[in-house]
Amino acid sequence: MTHVLDKPLAAARSSVRKARSPLHGGPLAYAVLIGATLLAVFPFYWTLVAASRSNSELSAATPALTPGPNLFHNLGEALDQAAIGTALINSLIVSSVVTAGVVLSSTLAGFAFAKLQFRGRRALLALTVGTMMIPPQLGVIPLFMVIVKLDLQNKLPSVILPSLVSAFGVFFMRQYLVQALPDELVEAGRVDGASLLRIFRSIVLPVARPGMAVLGMLTFMATWNDFFWPIVALSSQNPTVQVALKSLGQGYVPDQSVVMAGTLLGTLPVLVVFALLGRQIVGGIMQGAVKG
Amino acid sequence: MALSSTARLPAAKSAGPAGRTRRRLAPYGFLAPFFVLFAAFGLFPLLYTAYVSLHRVELQTSEQMDWLGLQNYTRLLDDPFFWNALRNTFTIGVLSTVPQLLIALGLAHLLNYRLRGRTFFRVAMLMPYATSVAAATLVFAQLFGRDYGLINWTLSSLRIHPVDWQASTWASQFGVSAIVTWRWTGYNALIYLAGMQSIPGELYESAAVDGASRWQQFRHVTIPGLRPTIVFTVVVSTIGATQLFGEPLLYEGNSGGGISHQYQTLGLYLYEQGWTFFHLGRAAAVAWVMFLLIVVLALLNAAIAARRNRTDR
């Protein structure tokens, strides 16, 4: 279908109406969206229901659909039986350290790629972006051998070290700084004779802050939820939350309601972050995040 | 890093030779933290995997490597479970990616309307993305339970015969795909929404002036405008589907992927070879095969996108 585009008329009309999203949602749109929202949220609700019931209630002929009285008993059991307490502390340490490392190293390298001239710049950037497409499993076996050699198995550095830098993070910060940081600002600092490090501290960092915040949130969530590498590197004696959940799923705890209580505990911190920063996370992803 | 001393230089005068050298080398100082760690924990393992895959390496004695040549690869091609995993990866990949992206496209279109509670809808739909693979799978495994699961109970109440979501091949693959779909649909809907909002409003205006219905506008303005975004999501989802691992591992909690390996994916097969059977060399061979598969799929996607572009213009 080819239309003759009636440009002048269109322009006249768009000045009357806002260009963005010309249509109002009708009742049908709301109905579908509410249905989708319920589907998205129901499993969370069900986790709460299952975690607050007893095992016999979960295998009754008519399942319970409302929360019951057993929540705190089950949470206590989960903390006792599955090392969820240790796991929460471990995950908090790992995710915080990794987030700090990724944000800092990405901002430094992203700034260099965005605003500095140096030999090999394009090749190094291409190398960084190129490796973003490579599945992490490809490096897992040698990485495991390295960790064994360094005697880091079952210790937190084994999951921290490999994640401290991220090719995606560097690319993300570069894209952000290319458009957010005017060349004139950097130039002005140079004309004043400030060293690059000083320019970075007093000019680049303040401008980069919003991008760093988005990268930080995405990195924290991805690290908290990381699965493949931690279950290879850590045991259920010194687990992150995901490793502890794996032990729950493999039947180390026979009680389904306790399994669900552990799942609830492991998901809660991320949900709290989401409740507080949901809007910013949505904004960050719409700016073009990549599955990590 | 050799960037610490700050020589305050008058702007008009050129710096001395030492200062100039520092200026030239400074950018590398900024790159160093990233590239040093990236080389050690990112690039080196990638390359070393190829070397490992040509050796017999056992988990308990990972210091010791015996040269095998291509034997790991030939054994792989002789293993029916490898082909089974390849097949499952493909069917679960299609089952989880195609409906997911179509639903995401529809939802994005609705989210693009002017709505009350716009932010609420967006945040609620992104919530599954914040859940970990492990947590989501444990909850869904409960819901899909054969005897006491909520889904079968609902089916029974509707007088529909309950389904064995674990033992039956297609039902278990559907179950695993449902977890993937639940986690990623909202995320992709937001990516599409961002793409839709970058389509200029005038295009819709002129289409409307030309008498195009809402559906025609969607087909002839929205979809072509979203093409790069769609290609991006297809590529990323395909790569994600190729690596599926956590969902099938925890669906019933064993690395075999079901009683008859009916939903064992390549990622799970790799894990089983390496950390259930302790054959690290063979696992490395699986990793390389997976990588080649991803490269082929990415090239295929790119070729299809290029051809469509040519035929459409």
Side-chain angles (χ1 to χ4, degrees), chain A residues 3-4 21 23 25 30 39-40 59 119 131 137-138 142 144 191 194-195 225 242 250 256 270 286 289-291, chain B residues 6 11 23 26 28 38 45 49 59 112 114 116 121 129-130 132 139 142 148 153 182 184 187 194 210 243 245 253:
Chain A
H3 292 296
V4 183
S21 171
L23 302 166
Y30 280 103
L39 277 176
S59 48
R119 212 170 269 176
T131 52
Q137 281 94 331
L138 192 54
F144 181 75
V191 171
S195 73
N225 291 337
Q242 307 312 321
Q250 297 195 310
Q256 269 306 314
V270 186
M286 284 180 64
V290 177
K291 263 188 195 184
Chain B
T6 52
R23 272 280 151 92
Y28 298 105
F38 186 58
T49 299
L59 184 84
N112 204 14
R114 281 194 213 162
R116 278 167 208 272
F121 282 128
Y129 160 83
S132 68
V139 176
Q142 262 261 325
Y148 308 116
W153 176 79
W182 179 76
W184 290 106
Y187 171 89
D210 288 335
Q243 300 171 37
F245 163 72

Side-chain angles (χ1 to χ4, degrees), chain A residues 173-197:
Chain A
M173 283 317 293
R174 177 195 173 265
Q175 298 301 82
Y176 183 81
L177 287 171
V178 160
Q179 42 108 10
L181 182 67
D183 290 352
E184 295 79 34
L185 268 182
V186 182
E187 251 347 278
R190 292 206 139 172
V191 171
D192 286 348
S195 73
L196 261 185
L197 204 58

